[in-house]
Amino acid sequence: MMQPIVSASTSESSSTTAAGSPLDRVLVRGLAWTGAVKWLSQILSWLSTIVVARLLAPEDYGVVAMAAAVLGLITLLNEFGLGAAVVALRHLTETQIAQIHSLASLFGISGFLLTCAVAIPTGQFFGAQEVPLIMITMGAGFVILAMRSVPSALLEKDLRFKFLAFLEGGQSLVAALTALIVAWSGGGYWALVLGGLAGQLAATTVIWLSRPLSYAWPTFDSMKETIRFSSHVLTSRVSWYVAASSDVFIGGRVLGQVAVGLYSLAGTLAYVPIEKVTALLSRVMPAIYATVQNDPPAMRRYLLLLTEALSLIVWPMAVGMSLVAHDFVPVVLGDKWNGVIAPLEILACWAGVRSIFGLVGPLLYVTGNSRVAMLNGLLGLATYPVGFWVGSHWGVIGLAWAWVLVQPLAFIQPYRYVLRATQLSLWGYLRALWPALSGIILMAACILGIQDAIPADWPLAIHLGIEILVGGAAYLMSVQLLHRRRLVLLLQFIRESRKE
């Protein structure tokens, strides 16, 4: 019988590993507040995305996706991994933090200047004259983000997850309302540009008022450790971003603006719901992992607990979206977006797999394996573009399948080191995924069965509603019947963690 992962291991001695410990309470409350606000903002974001998608054309999404592909790379260069260093390196002094804050601000200004320098060449590369002005406008956000990088990391390090949750919710609200207003006013792709910029400005203002920091001139001797750690983080992030964004680069170059617009929206629909959940964990877990970085049993316990919980939540969403995509897209977005269906069916399923891997990355940094993360990023940089280039010969479907065929190579080394650092066997890790896996197998069988049973002449909206209800009920029933003990243990963990 599978052992409960929420109970303390017999080898654990630290209080951080016991159910109901202070750190458990911080984790549960952080996830609760962050999750509640994120899901409320997600509902608003989805409504905004649907309305904006109906007001805009595929070309609008395509041109912004082209600009964002380059800007995302500069964003990583702009931050330099300094926020991650502030969270992971817990012995930094106030003077060192002030120096890091100054360095982050300098990177922000440099990021904006670099954006201005590459804007016109990027537009010429894609053959889209709208791209340069979009990039320059969005590039102003680099200065804004740099001013909040270190203050935000300190709030995370102090475990102020409730405040950060409301802050991110407010940013999403401002961004969504701005995008709706601009799109409704006929602003076209500027709705996507100005919405994000307005949200960034609002959040940065609040952070600066709540966590003001002084500046100090950076010195190499004082920041040597931080720079080494940050360089590993930066190299990893840049490599992964370039690798992961090469689908849009190659798709935009080979397939054109309309095709990459369809592919971009498919990715948004597939990843946004999943990323909201994983972003919830990425906000909380680095600080939690850093707190127990010298306690392998505690790290193992949190990894297994969150892996099981995340898969139970995310996998039915991912597989469900894939199975109902052919009805969801025409009903919700309209027939003009039918080209989204095929890549969405592939990307939605893969999004669930990617979400679980996201729990492993932070452990590499807090266990002293930042160099492994860096080298793994370089591996992705060498393999992803090749896969996307080959896949592009089969259109947007080929781009989507390239993720499934190439990305698993990037999972091998991180899992190897994390399992070793947490003293966990591969089989022990895979057992945590079984409740969700068994549930989605039954859910998929029920959805496919009901799709064949529903009369073809019924409205698509009725089809979609029945599929969602049947799939959701099947999944909940399977988990309840087959893994009731697991659910009881998870609920017990939450109740114990809520006690003062």
Side-chain angles (χ1 to χ4, degrees), residues 46 49 53 58 61-62 65 247-248 258-275 318 321-322 325 328-329 333 337-351 354 396-397 399-400 403:
W46 264 85
T49 298
Y61 278 87
D247 56 350
V248 173
V258 174
V260 81
L262 294 170
Y263 176 80
S264 176
L265 184 57
T268 298
L269 294 172
Y271 296 134
V272 166
I274 307 304
E275 287 175 349
M321 173 61 81
S322 176
F328 175 86
V329 171
L333 301 179
W337 291 102
N338 281 344
V340 167
I341 296 174
L344 176 58
E345 291 175 335
I346 302 167
L347 293 174
C349 280
W350 191 243
R354 288 179 59 175
V396 294
I397 297 178
L399 287 176
W403 279 106

Side-chain angles (χ1 to χ4, degrees), residues 28-178:
V28 171
R29 291 172 183 174
L31 291 175
W33 279 110
T34 307
V37 175
K38 278 187 176 294
W39 279 109
L40 288 174
S41 63
Q42 177 59 54
I43 294 173
L44 174 64
S45 177
W46 264 85
L47 293 174
S48 173
T49 298
I50 292 170
V51 174
V52 170
R54 284 187 169 273
L55 294 171
L56 303 185
E59 291 84 353
D60 294 322
Y61 278 87
V63 73
V64 174
M66 293 174 182
V70 178
L71 289 172
L73 172 59
I74 300 176
T75 299
L76 298 177
L77 294 172
N78 174 62
E79 205 269 344
F80 196 69
L82 295 174
V86 170
V87 174
L89 304 178
R90 305 186 68 82
H91 54 274
L92 295 173
T93 65
E94 289 295 326
T95 300
Q96 289 174 315
I97 290 174
Q99 292 177 358
I100 296 173
H101 186 42
S102 301
L103 188 60
S105 299
L106 292 174
F107 275 122
I109 297 172
S110 300
F112 175 67
L113 295 177
L114 178 60
T115 301
C116 295
V118 302
I120 293 178
T122 302
Q124 293 173 342
F125 173 82
F126 285 117
Q129 61 182 359
E130 305 92 341
V131 166
L133 187 55
I134 291 175
M135 288 185 62
I136 293 173
T137 304
M138 296 175 70
F142 293 137
V143 180
I144 299 173
L145 292 174
M147 294 172 63
R148 88 186 209 195
S149 174
V150 175
S152 179
L154 288 174
L155 291 170
E156 183 178 337
K157 187 175 183 178
D158 294 339
L159 306 179
R160 294 186 59 185
F161 299 125
K162 178 180 177 180
F163 175 82
L164 290 169
F166 279 102
L167 183 70
E168 292 182 1
Q171 177 174 335
S172 298
L173 176 62
V174 172
L177 291 177
T178 303

